[in-house]
Structure formats: C-alpha cells, structure tokens
Amino acid sequence: MTEPASNYIPQDTVKRFRSQAFKVWGLTLAIVFVWVFAIVLAPFALENGLFGLSSPIYTFFSYICHQQPERSLHFDGHPFAVCSRCFGVYFGLFAGLSVYPLWRKIEEVEPLARFWLFLSIVPIGIDWSLSVFGIWENTHLSRFITGLILGVACATFIIPALVEIKRNMSAKRRTV
C-alpha cells in the first residue's frame, strides 16, 4: 500500500535522526556506566585506603540512598555506595540501555505503553510490602532483582524521551 506524500521523510533527514539518536544513546550509556562504576568503586577505593576517593563517593550517594549496610551489597566487608535495591535499579538501567538498540530502533521516539512502566513497579511494591507487613523478609537478591526490573523498564522509556528532546532542540536551532 502506498503512503501519502505528506508522510514522506527525506533520506538525509532519516540519517540525521539516526545519527543523533546514536549520539544520545552513547552519551546516556556512558553517563550511566560512570554512575554504576562509581557505586562499585567506593568499596574498592576504601579497601585500598583511598579515602580521598571513597569518602566523596559515599557522601554523594548518601543524598539519594539510605546506605544501610545491612541492606547493601559488600566487597571485602565494605558496602557499595548504595543499597542493593538502588544498585539493582542503576545496574538495570545500564543493562537496559546497553541492549536497547538490539531490540528497538534507536531513532524511534514513540514510547511503549506506560502500562509496562507501571507494571515494572509492582515487583518492588510486593517485595517492600511483604517485608513491611512481616509476611516475608526480603533479601539482597530480591531487592536487587526487583530494582533490576524497574531499571530495565526505565531505560526503554528514557531513550525515546531523550532522543525526542534532542530532535526538538535541533529543529528549533534550524528554524532560528
């Protein structure tokens, strides 16, 4: 079936959109990698006596996570810079961003149905609720996995949003 002429997008525009999308994806992946690396770097630095490196990392992440040692993964007796659930979310975000171009066109800006994002919150809610009501005590693994699910889901919504923001910013510059 033929498309109307109004739906035609010039091939140079398609290539430009794709190039922009890959740049946005690469930059986002690099930022999230550094974020996850810093979380894991903190206990390594502490173990090796690099307090000038580990202390600012722990301090920075203390503003966004409770950092309770009993709820955190450890390396050689030193806790990661965030709890196991937060680490699961950040690692899931990194994993989701890493594989995103393998399962979805990187230049596609139409997001999935929000239902999937809300559905990804359900495991965390169940894990937390069961623990709060004393029905079941969650573990590092359950916290990490439920965070991982949410992180991967978030990646599938973040990339289209950032690509569209970049596309709109580029379009505004072209018209000015």
Side-chain angles (χ1 to χ4, degrees), residues 40-111:
V40 177
L41 178 63
F44 282 95
L46 189 59
E47 176 64 25
N48 292 304
L50 302 171
F51 304 111
L53 180 60
S54 66
S55 182
I57 294 172
Y58 280 115
T59 301
F60 172 77
F61 284 107
S62 72
Y63 294 111
I64 55 177
C65 179
H66 57 72
Q67 294 181 326
Q68 294 175 1
E70 66 276 4
R71 292 184 172 258
S72 300
L73 299 171
H74 287 71
F75 170 75
D76 264 353
H78 302 290
F80 281 18
V82 296
C83 70
S84 55
R85 182 169 288 131
C86 288
F87 184 68
V89 170
Y90 299 134
F91 187 79
L93 186 59
F94 176 72
L97 290 172
S98 297
V99 300
Y100 185 87
L102 300 175
W103 74 278
R104 192 152 192 244
K105 289 183 179 179
I106 196 83
E107 66 274 10
E108 178 66 46
V109 294
E110 189 63 36

Side-chain angles (χ1 to χ4, degrees), residues 86-140:
C86 288
F87 184 68
V89 170
Y90 299 134
F91 187 79
L93 186 59
F94 176 72
L97 290 172
S98 297
V99 300
Y100 185 87
L102 300 175
W103 74 278
R104 192 152 192 244
K105 289 183 179 179
I106 196 83
E107 66 274 10
E108 178 66 46
V109 294
E110 189 63 36
L112 300 174
R114 278 185 238 144
F115 165 79
W116 296 108
L117 183 59
F118 292 120
L119 188 64
S120 71
I121 297 170
V122 171
I124 283 181
I126 291 171
D127 187 50
W128 177 81
S129 297
L130 291 176
S131 181
V132 165
F133 294 118
I135 297 169
W136 178 66
E137 186 59 36
N138 55 27
T139 64
H140 291 304

